[in-house]
Amino acid sequence: ITGVIDGPLPQGTPRAIELYFPCTVLDASAYAVGWKDETNGVRTLLTSLSGCIQGSKFVYIASEESRFTQWFAFAPDFVNASISIDGNDAVELFSNGSAIDRFGIPGTDGTRTLWEYLDGWAYRSSATLPNPDFDIDVWTFSGKNALDGDSSNANSYNPFPTAAYQTPTSAQTGSTGEACPADSTPQPGGGADDAGGSTISSEPQGTNKDGESGDEDGSFPILYIVVIGALAASLCLALWTVGMLVLKTLRRKLPGGRGE
């Protein structure tokens, strides 16, 4: 999660979440974004991601498309009308049912807290990594009502820092340049029909691969090559040693050899 915004347009729009994927995820269906209601503590699934998401890409999830586009001058990647973050709600990122990143304190009303973003925004500092335990020190805040009276991000005195996050090099463990198949890119509104209003457990769910498994980010093939190379080198050294011992023995037994 790199950013959240509660906008000043009608109905508090744009209500949106910005995510960043440092590496290509061929199947994003393992990921979902949710929030935890501050009054009853129920964790709600806002939207499940889908398709392939190319590395070094920012993904935007919004409650609707028209006012989001009016504000940012581009359309969101996913739309779900059930998104109702209004400046005092925590947001969570899930992978296979387990929370891997959090903004805010789930189950807590953020009103009058340091992480409130009513009619404003919050943005993650660059070179910081996802954390299931919220750390307010890695976030920058616009301040409450910072966007009041603005009609677009471009004309705002305190604009949302779109796509400003920069990942640390250590986080790029997979392929950032791998292209997605032509028929598997995310579609606007993906996940809206089957995600709104449903709930998921706070306990880890599912044992299938997530978007960061070794097979997808290329670490398994590299490790395989390294191990095979090491075994081949060891075998070569062993054969060379045996060959030298055999040659030494033959020299001793031949006429004129050291053994004669």
Side-chain angles (χ1 to χ4, degrees):
I1 305 169
T2 51
V4 294
I5 181 172
D6 173 53
L9 302 182
Q11 284 78 54
T13 56
R15 291 177 176 175
I17 302 160
E18 181 190 88
L19 305 178
Y20 177 72
F21 285 80
C23 304
T24 296
V25 176
L26 296 178
D27 180 8
S29 62
Y31 291 93
V33 175
W35 68 301
K36 199 166 186 179
D37 188 272
E38 70 273 8
T39 57
N40 57 27
V42 175
R43 180 173 282 115
T44 303
L45 179 66
L46 294 182
T47 188
S48 297
L49 306 187
S50 62
C52 175
I53 298 177
Q54 190 163 344
S56 301
K57 177 178 174 59
F58 289 89
V59 171
Y60 297 88
I61 306 169
S63 62
E64 50 76 53
E65 184 173 356
S66 61
R67 294 192 183 99
F68 178 97
T69 304
Q70 174 187 336
W71 181 263
F72 285 111
F74 61 85
D77 298 282
F78 298 93
V79 175
N80 191 317
S82 69
I83 294 179
S84 57
I85 57 174
D86 54 6
N88 62 357
D89 299 299
V91 177
E92 300 175 290
L93 176 63
F94 298 93
S95 176
N96 285 322
S98 298
I100 59 173
D101 195 19
R102 285 189 174 99
F103 166 79
I105 303 174
T108 300
D109 185 344
T111 303
R112 292 185 293 278
T113 66
L114 294 177
W115 55 272
E116 183 178 12
Y117 54 102
L118 177 67
D119 287 347
W121 50 262
Y123 205 83
R124 179 186 290 276
S125 301
S126 290
T128 61
L129 296 174
N131 189 346
D133 297 317
F134 175 54
D135 182 2
I136 195 172
D137 292 333
V138 303
W139 290 84
T140 299
F141 298 87
S142 65
K144 182 179 178 181
N145 299 322
L147 302 179
D148 280 356
D150 295 334
S151 59
S152 71
N153 203 51
N155 295 327
S156 175
Y157 178 76
N158 194 0
F160 179 86
T162 311
Y165 174 81
Q166 295 183 1
T167 185
T169 304
S170 60
Q172 297 182 353
T173 57
S175 171
T176 58
E178 181 180 0
C180 291
D183 59 350
S184 62
T185 54
Q187 299 298 318
D193 293 337
D194 60 355
S198 62
T199 60
I200 59 178
S201 170
S202 60
E203 298 299 323
Q205 298 178 4
T207 56
N208 295 330
K209 61 182 177 63
D210 60 24
E212 300 172 349
S213 66
D215 285 43
E216 287 183 3
D217 64 15
S219 61
F220 176 76
I222 294 175
L223 178 62
Y224 182 80
I225 292 172
V226 171
V227 171
I228 293 300
L231 291 175
S234 299
L235 179 60
C236 181
L237 179 60
L239 291 175
W240 180 83
T241 302
V242 171
M244 292 299 295
L245 291 174
V246 171
L247 180 60
K248 186 176 181 179
T249 301
L250 290 175
R251 283 180 176 175
R252 288 178 176 178
K253 292 183 178 181
L254 290 175
R258 296 181 181 180
E260 294 296 318

